[in-house]
Amino acid sequence: MGDRMRPEDIHGKKLIAVAGHDTFGKAFISVVNKEVAKDGLMLIGININEEDFGFFIYNLADSKLEVTIFMPEFQQKSAQFFGIDGYLLMSKKGKNGLEFFTAQEETLIDDRKLLDLVKKI
């Protein structure tokens, strides 16, 4: 039960979701969490299947998530949903709605790329 997340671990932190098919409990998220914990940030992996993607993306602006980072399998589909050219790497809540960080091609998200994206928050 050592790696299990508790409600008190999340309280007062800005939640950042890493959304993909198989992201919950991934080691690279834990690595980045250790780097950003001092900044009041916490990354959580959210597993989404194809059938639930529409519900997830449609409700993104109203969710408790401040930031969502998309794994490669959802980068193009997310960009299309929001009418954006290219690939959506990250969405962030701003004063006037969601702000988007994009790329021209599908982008692998590893611990280094994840940390780079989190530093843009």
Side-chain angles (χ1 to χ4, degrees), residues 48-59:
I48 303 171
N49 58 40
E50 294 294 331
E51 298 80 40
D52 295 334
F53 174 80
F55 178 81
F56 175 79
I57 200 82
Y58 182 78
N59 290 293

Side-chain angles (χ1 to χ4, degrees), residues 34-48:
K34 289 175 185 165
E35 293 287 323
V36 301
K38 65 189 176 306
D39 300 323
L41 304 173
M42 179 169 212
L43 284 79
I44 56 172
I46 296 184
N47 291 346
I48 303 171

Side-chain angles (χ1 to χ4, degrees), residues 4-113:
R4 217 160 174 155
M5 196 176 351
R6 299 177 315 252
E8 58 269 24
D9 296 334
I10 298 172
H11 184 72
K13 294 193 175 161
K14 183 182 282 193
L15 285 182
I16 302 167
V18 180
H21 283 146
D22 184 29
T23 58
F24 183 79
K26 289 294 188 186
F28 73 96
I29 294 174
S30 297
V31 168
V32 174
N33 262 332
K34 289 175 185 165
E35 293 287 323
V36 301
K38 65 189 176 306
D39 300 323
L41 304 173
M42 179 169 212
L43 284 79
I44 56 172
I46 296 184
N47 291 346
I48 303 171
N49 58 40
E50 294 294 331
E51 298 80 40
D52 295 334
F53 174 80
F55 178 81
F56 175 79
I57 200 82
Y58 182 78
N59 290 293
L60 195 58
D62 296 324
S63 75
K64 300 243 183 256
L65 301 169
E66 293 289 326
V67 176
T68 302
I69 297 171
F70 296 94
M71 295 301 284
E73 59 267 27
F74 290 119
Q75 292 171 0
Q76 186 174 33
K77 198 172 188 176
S78 298
Q80 289 171 342
F81 178 85
F82 290 112
I84 300 168
D85 288 334
Y87 296 80
L88 182 58
L89 301 182
M90 181 170 72
S91 68
K92 173 184 164 192
K93 287 186 180 176
K95 291 179 183 174
N96 299 318
L98 292 175
E99 299 171 5
F100 302 112
F101 297 81
T102 61
Q104 292 304 309
E105 58 189 31
E106 188 175 277
T107 304
L108 175 68
I109 305 293
D110 58 10
D111 55 347
R112 182 174 296 145
K113 185 64 178 178

